[in-house]
Amino acid sequence: MQPPYDPPRDTLAAGLVEGLIRDAAAVEVGFGCELTDLTFAVTEDISADVLGGSVAHNSYDTLHGSAQLSVTRDLPFGYAVLCPYLTLYDGTTRARFNLGAYFTDTPSRPLAEVPVTYNVTCYDLLTALDNNIGDAFSLPAGTNYLSAVEDILIGNGYHQYLIDRASTAVLPVARAWPFDDSSTWLLVVNDLLASIGYQGIWTDWAGRLRVQPYSSPRVRSAEWTYDVEPATSLLSTERDEWHDYFKAPNSWVFVRSNQIDGAQPVDGNGIYRYDNTRTGVTSQEARHRTIVRKVMVDAADQPSLEAAAQITIDADTAVPVKITMKTAPNPLHWHFDILHLQDAARGPETNVLGTAWTLPLDGSDMSHEWTVLPI
Amino acid sequence: MIIIATLTLTKLFVNLLSTGASVSAQSQPDRLATYEKRGDVRIYAGGRLRSITQEGAPGTFVFVLVDVTRAQITLLRSWAGLPVQVRDNRSRIFQGVYYRVNEIERRNEPTLYDVPIELDVITFVEAV
C-alpha cells in the first residue's frame, strides 16, 4: 500500500489520513489529473477537463496498472503521461492521493460531440519496457544483476526509479535472450530480478519504477485492517468467497538451469525441494495426495534459487481461497498489499493478499480481489 | 469623490457570454435556484451508515420569461447549449447552459409567449 504519510500527505498529523479513509462519518471525494512527462514534471493540470473514470491494478498482470479516463480536450496522446489523483475531505482535513502515472492509448474522436469527449484507456508506465528488444541480447559473466537492470531502465528512457541495492550478486555465467517475439525488455528485467530473489518490477503511486527483494506475504505485516465494527467498517455487504485449489501443487522441485560447468544438479546444489505437508487446505495432509510441480529456474546461486522458489511456492499456495469484495474508497491500495481481515461472516480473522483492485474516481465503492493467506 | 452606481434590474436578463448579446423580459415569480450535492448514505457490513459525496454541487436555475417576442425566442433557441449569464432583479447571477426552449402561447396576445427555461449552472472563469 501507499504509506499513509508519503508526499503529498507528509504534512498531515499522524492519524488524520486513516481518519479520513476509515473513521469519517461523512467524506467528500474529489479527483483531478495532471499531464506530465517521464520525469514527472507537471506540464499542466487538466482536472477541469476530466469528467471521471477509474484506476485499476492487478498485481499478477504483466502490466499491473491501468486507468480509464473521460477527457474533454485533445492531448498529445502519442506520448502523454497522465497522473490521476483522488482527494478526500471531511470538512476539516483534505488529503490528496496520487494514483500512478500512465501512458494513454490513441482514442477515437466522436465527431458529433462539442466539446469532444475522449474515452482514454491508460496503461502502466511499464508499457515502455514491454517492447520487443529487436535483437538478441546477452550479458557477460560477472555482470552485476542490478546494474544491468538499471542500464536497461535508463536505456528505455526512465528517469524515476528506486532500486533496493541489497543484492550485489553477479551473473555466474553469460546469459542470452534470443531474438524472438517474446523477448521484451520487461522479460529480461524480470528474469534478472528473479535470478537474485527479487520480485518483478512494478510502478508505484508516484509513477516510479520499483525494484526490491521479494518478501513472502506470510512473513509481511498487515498494512491495513478491515473490520465490520460500527464505527470503522468499510466492507460492503456485497462480498463473496470461493475455493479454487483442485490443481494446486503441494510438492515442488526447483532445478537451477544455469549450473556452472554443466555439473549435474543435486539437492542443495542446483536442486531445491519443498513439501507442503501440513499448511493449509492444499497441503499433502489435507489433500491426501502429493501433487508435484517441477520448475526450471535461472538463478545466480543456491540461495537465489531458493528465494525464487519461495515466490512460486507462495503463489501456488495462495490459490485456494479467494474473496471478491467491495469497500468504501481506500486510495492507499497498491501492489500485493497485505491486509488483515476481521469479518465474522467469513470466519476467523486472517491476513489476505490484495491481488487486484479498481477504484472509481467518483467515490463509488471500490472492488477488490483478495487471496486468503495460509495460517 | 467616488461615485458608486447601483444598477437595479427590473427585468431578467439573459446574455450570451461570448458576445454579450442579451434578451430581457419580465419573469414569473417563484424562480427556483437549486444546488444539489451528489452523494448517498451507504450501508457497510456491520450496519455502519456512512455518507460519501462527490466534490462540487451541480446547480440549476429555473425561470419563466413572460411576454417574449418571436425574435427573442429565435435568439434564445440559437443560444441553447452555449454558455450564458442570467441576472435577475435580486442581483443574482448565474452562468450556465440550457438545452430546451419551451414556448407557451399567451392568451389574447397573438405575438407573445411565455418561455420556461431550466439553466444548468457551469463553472465559468472570466478572462482577465
PDB file of all heavy atoms in Angstrom, chain A residues 27 51 69 88 175 287 346:
ATOM      1  N   VAL A  27     -17.721  11.793   4.130  1.00  0.00           N
ATOM      2  CA  VAL A  27     -16.493  12.169   3.427  1.00  0.00           C
ATOM      3  C   VAL A  27     -16.832  12.587   2.001  1.00  0.00           C
ATOM      4  O   VAL A  27     -17.751  12.045   1.381  1.00  0.00           O
ATOM      5  CB  VAL A  27     -15.472  11.006   3.463  1.00  0.00           C
ATOM      6  CG1 VAL A  27     -15.950   9.821   2.645  1.00  0.00           C
ATOM      7  CG2 VAL A  27     -14.104  11.448   2.994  1.00  0.00           C
ATOM      8  N   LEU A  51     -13.745  14.285 -16.870  1.00  0.00           N
ATOM      9  CA  LEU A  51     -15.104  14.063 -16.375  1.00  0.00           C
ATOM     10  C   LEU A  51     -15.161  12.990 -15.295  1.00  0.00           C
ATOM     11  O   LEU A  51     -16.038  13.003 -14.440  1.00  0.00           O
ATOM     12  CB  LEU A  51     -16.011  13.631 -17.519  1.00  0.00           C
ATOM     13  CG  LEU A  51     -16.342  14.677 -18.576  1.00  0.00           C
ATOM     14  CD1 LEU A  51     -17.181  14.054 -19.671  1.00  0.00           C
ATOM     15  CD2 LEU A  51     -17.095  15.837 -17.927  1.00  0.00           C
ATOM     16  N   LEU A  69     -10.177   7.058 -18.364  1.00  0.00           N
ATOM     17  CA  LEU A  69     -10.492   8.451 -18.076  1.00  0.00           C
ATOM     18  C   LEU A  69     -11.321   9.043 -19.210  1.00  0.00           C
ATOM     19  O   LEU A  69     -11.065   8.756 -20.380  1.00  0.00           O
ATOM     20  CB  LEU A  69      -9.205   9.272 -17.910  1.00  0.00           C
ATOM     21  CG  LEU A  69      -8.272   8.878 -16.759  1.00  0.00           C
ATOM     22  CD1 LEU A  69      -6.979   9.686 -16.827  1.00  0.00           C
ATOM     23  CD2 LEU A  69      -8.947   9.100 -15.416  1.00  0.00           C
ATOM     24  N   LEU A  88      -9.738  13.273  -0.588  1.00  0.00           N
ATOM     25  CA  LEU A  88     -10.755  13.014   0.428  1.00  0.00           C
ATOM     26  C   LEU A  88     -10.813  14.219   1.361  1.00  0.00           C
ATOM     27  O   LEU A  88      -9.766  14.789   1.712  1.00  0.00           O
ATOM     28  CB  LEU A  88     -10.432  11.749   1.229  1.00  0.00           C
ATOM     29  CG  LEU A  88     -10.435  10.417   0.474  1.00  0.00           C
ATOM     30  CD1 LEU A  88     -10.058   9.273   1.419  1.00  0.00           C
ATOM     31  CD2 LEU A  88     -11.788  10.148  -0.168  1.00  0.00           C
ATOM     32  N   ARG A 175      24.635 -14.837 -20.022  1.00  0.00           N
ATOM     33  CA  ARG A 175      23.217 -15.148 -20.212  1.00  0.00           C
ATOM     34  C   ARG A 175      22.744 -14.468 -21.491  1.00  0.00           C
ATOM     35  O   ARG A 175      23.112 -13.312 -21.752  1.00  0.00           O
ATOM     36  CB  ARG A 175      22.427 -14.635 -19.001  1.00  0.00           C
ATOM     37  CG  ARG A 175      20.939 -14.784 -19.133  1.00  0.00           C
ATOM     38  CD  ARG A 175      20.394 -15.804 -18.165  1.00  0.00           C
ATOM     39  NE  ARG A 175      19.020 -16.144 -18.509  1.00  0.00           N
ATOM     40  CZ  ARG A 175      17.972 -15.890 -17.751  1.00  0.00           C
ATOM     41  NH1 ARG A 175      18.131 -15.311 -16.579  1.00  0.00           N
ATOM     42  NH2 ARG A 175      16.765 -16.244 -18.132  1.00  0.00           N
ATOM     43  N   ARG A 287      -4.996 -32.847   1.295  1.00  0.00           N
ATOM     44  CA  ARG A 287      -5.454 -33.401   0.024  1.00  0.00           C
ATOM     45  C   ARG A 287      -5.358 -34.929  -0.023  1.00  0.00           C
ATOM     46  O   ARG A 287      -5.823 -35.560  -0.974  1.00  0.00           O
ATOM     47  CB  ARG A 287      -4.648 -32.808  -1.143  1.00  0.00           C
ATOM     48  CG  ARG A 287      -4.799 -31.321  -1.357  1.00  0.00           C
ATOM     49  CD  ARG A 287      -6.220 -30.904  -1.705  1.00  0.00           C
ATOM     50  NE  ARG A 287      -6.742 -31.554  -2.891  1.00  0.00           N
ATOM     51  CZ  ARG A 287      -6.575 -31.141  -4.135  1.00  0.00           C
ATOM     52  NH1 ARG A 287      -5.860 -30.050  -4.349  1.00  0.00           N
ATOM     53  NH2 ARG A 287      -7.110 -31.779  -5.154  1.00  0.00           N
ATOM     54  N   ARG A 346     -17.204 -14.474   7.340  1.00  0.00           N
ATOM     55  CA  ARG A 346     -16.431 -15.434   6.551  1.00  0.00           C
ATOM     56  C   ARG A 346     -15.592 -16.368   7.426  1.00  0.00           C
ATOM     57  O   ARG A 346     -15.078 -17.378   6.947  1.00  0.00           O
ATOM     58  CB  ARG A 346     -15.553 -14.750   5.514  1.00  0.00           C
ATOM     59  CG  ARG A 346     -14.353 -14.019   6.041  1.00  0.00           C
ATOM     60  CD  ARG A 346     -13.228 -13.979   5.007  1.00  0.00           C
ATOM     61  NE  ARG A 346     -12.806 -15.302   4.627  1.00  0.00           N
ATOM     62  CZ  ARG A 346     -11.911 -16.014   5.310  1.00  0.00           C
ATOM     63  NH1 ARG A 346     -11.371 -15.528   6.410  1.00  0.00           N
ATOM     64  NH2 ARG A 346     -11.567 -17.216   4.900  1.00  0.00           N
TER      65      ARG A 346
END
